[in-house]
Amino acid sequence: MQPRKIIIDTDPGQDDAVAILLALASPEQIEVLGITCVAGNVPLALTARNARMVCELAGRPDIPVFAGCDRPLGRALVTAEHVHGKTGLDGPSLPEPQMPLQSQHAVDFIIDTVRSHPPGTITLCPLGPLTNIATALARAPDIAPRLQEIVLMGGAYFEVGNITPAAEFNIYVDPQAAQAVFAAGVPLVVMPLDVTHKALVTAERNAAFRNLGTPVGIAVAQMTEFFERYDREKYGSLGAPLHDPCVTAYLLAPHLFSGRHVNVEIETTSELTMGMTVADWWRVTDRPANATFMGQIDADGFFALLTQRLARL
Ligand code: RIB
Ligand code: CA
């Protein structure tokens, strides 16, 4: 079976880094055509730096990395250094990237890639605010029906918000972009906090990363040890929630997840609930279903897959 061709759109971010590493560790199932960076956890210059550092950590300086949008469509950028540290990749001490950033804008790379491949063969995997994706869809509406799927990390329903009482960070940072993506008619799989908060890096799971004894295993252990502080203090969690790797794991082993195909709308007017993903989980409206919204994960299976694949790098 041919590997699935994907573009990872990302704002690294320690959890983004683990998602990228998991994808690069699975070449028989995933072909990463490129990594497009967006402003989110930290400003664009740092997300573009961090993405290249992760590719070099994986021994893949050949992966083309592109810089995209440096601010949301209609709001000031909100970043998350309080979670990810001032570099966005605090924890391990990784060398500055040697591989170059591509000169092409990330949005143009997304558009050109989708147009140059057969319809239904490209999957977009957004792991941060949806600014690049929405900009590509607005600039080239013809790509929407050509996409195989969009599998994204974002939103929350039963779990409610992590950046405000109502909203999850990726959606909150650029709610207008999220509204456009959820309305684009592209097959959509959503990994919300309802799932990612069940994928916690407990001490045992972190030890399994470290016990790999490889530069990747040790770096991942250091990354998750750093960014677990926020969730431990806020939620009393048993460890860092591995938000973004749930996207990659879905591509590799969809049976690890379960959810419902429901309508999901984005709040874009009320400041009180700005960026909330209003999921019609109980189907109480006649609004058409537009997303497979995940609710459950086999966390042990997820970590077994992740650890086994990271051992390959
Ligand atoms: O709310 C979690 C999401 O926001 C993750 O993608 C994390 O990396 C941050 O971007
Ligand atoms: Ca992210």
Side-chain angles (χ1 to χ4, degrees), residues 4 114 119-126 130 133 137 141-153 180-191 247 250-251 260-262 264 289-294:
R4 189 191 276 230
V114 176
T121 61
I122 302 294
T123 298
L124 301 183
C125 298
L130 292 164
I133 312 302
L137 289 166
D142 59 288
I143 68 171
R146 295 181 68 89
L147 283 165
Q148 177 176 355
E149 203 167 38
I150 295 176
V151 184
L152 68 87
M153 190 278 142
V181 171
F182 278 69
V186 178
L188 199 50
V189 176
V190 179
M191 292 288 164
V247 168
Y250 174 79
L251 301 179
R260 286 185 184 181
H261 192 57
V262 294
V264 181
N290 59 342
T292 298
F293 198 82
M294 294 299 182

Side-chain angles (χ1 to χ4, degrees), residues 7 15 39 61 81 94 103 130 150 164 181 199-200 210 212 217-218 221:
I7 296 173
D15 59 318
E81 289 87 348
L94 299 174
S103 57
L130 292 164
I150 295 176
T164 73
V181 171
L200 301 178
R210 188 177 293 278
L212 292 174
I218 292 165

Side-chain angles (χ1 to χ4, degrees), residues 76-196:
L77 177 62
V78 171
T79 53
E81 289 87 348
H82 61 292
V83 178
H84 299 277
K86 64 180 177 14
T87 71
L89 208 55
D90 286 22
S93 57
L94 299 174
E96 289 300 312
Q98 299 305 305
M99 61 188 281
L101 195 59
Q102 299 298 310
S103 57
Q104 186 180 29
H105 191 283
V107 170
D108 295 325
F109 170 74
I110 292 168
I111 294 168
D112 292 352
T113 302
V114 176
R115 284 176 171 166
S116 61
H117 283 78
T121 61
I122 302 294
T123 298
L124 301 183
C125 298
L127 309 178
L130 292 164
T131 317
N132 287 342
I133 312 302
T135 303
L137 289 166
R139 196 178 297 171
D142 59 288
I143 68 171
R146 295 181 68 89
L147 283 165
Q148 177 176 355
E149 203 167 38
I150 295 176
V151 184
L152 68 87
M153 190 278 142
Y157 184 59
F158 293 102
E159 196 68 8
V160 293
N162 61 355
I163 187 75
T164 73
E168 177 278 328
F169 179 82
N170 288 341
I171 309 299
Y172 175 74
V173 168
D174 199 338
Q176 283 77 13
Q179 184 177 56
V181 171
F182 278 69
V186 178
L188 199 50
V189 176
V190 179
M191 292 288 164
L193 298 180
D194 304 56
V195 164
T196 68

Side-chain angles (χ1 to χ4, degrees), residues 10-30:
T10 180
D11 64 335
Q14 292 88 349
D15 59 318
D16 302 67
V18 180
I20 294 167
L21 291 168
L22 179 56
L24 296 178
S26 310
E28 74 280 20
Q29 289 174 271
I30 292 175

Side-chain angles (χ1 to χ4, degrees), residues 19-61:
I20 294 167
L21 291 168
L22 179 56
L24 296 178
S26 310
E28 74 280 20
Q29 289 174 271
I30 292 175
E31 181 183 357
V32 179
L33 298 179
I35 294 178
T36 52
C37 302
V38 67
N41 283 321
V42 286
L44 179 64
L46 282 173
T47 61
R49 165 192 177 264
N50 296 343
R52 287 177 287 154
M53 287 164 70
V54 173
C55 288
E56 291 179 342
L57 174 65
R60 293 298 307 276

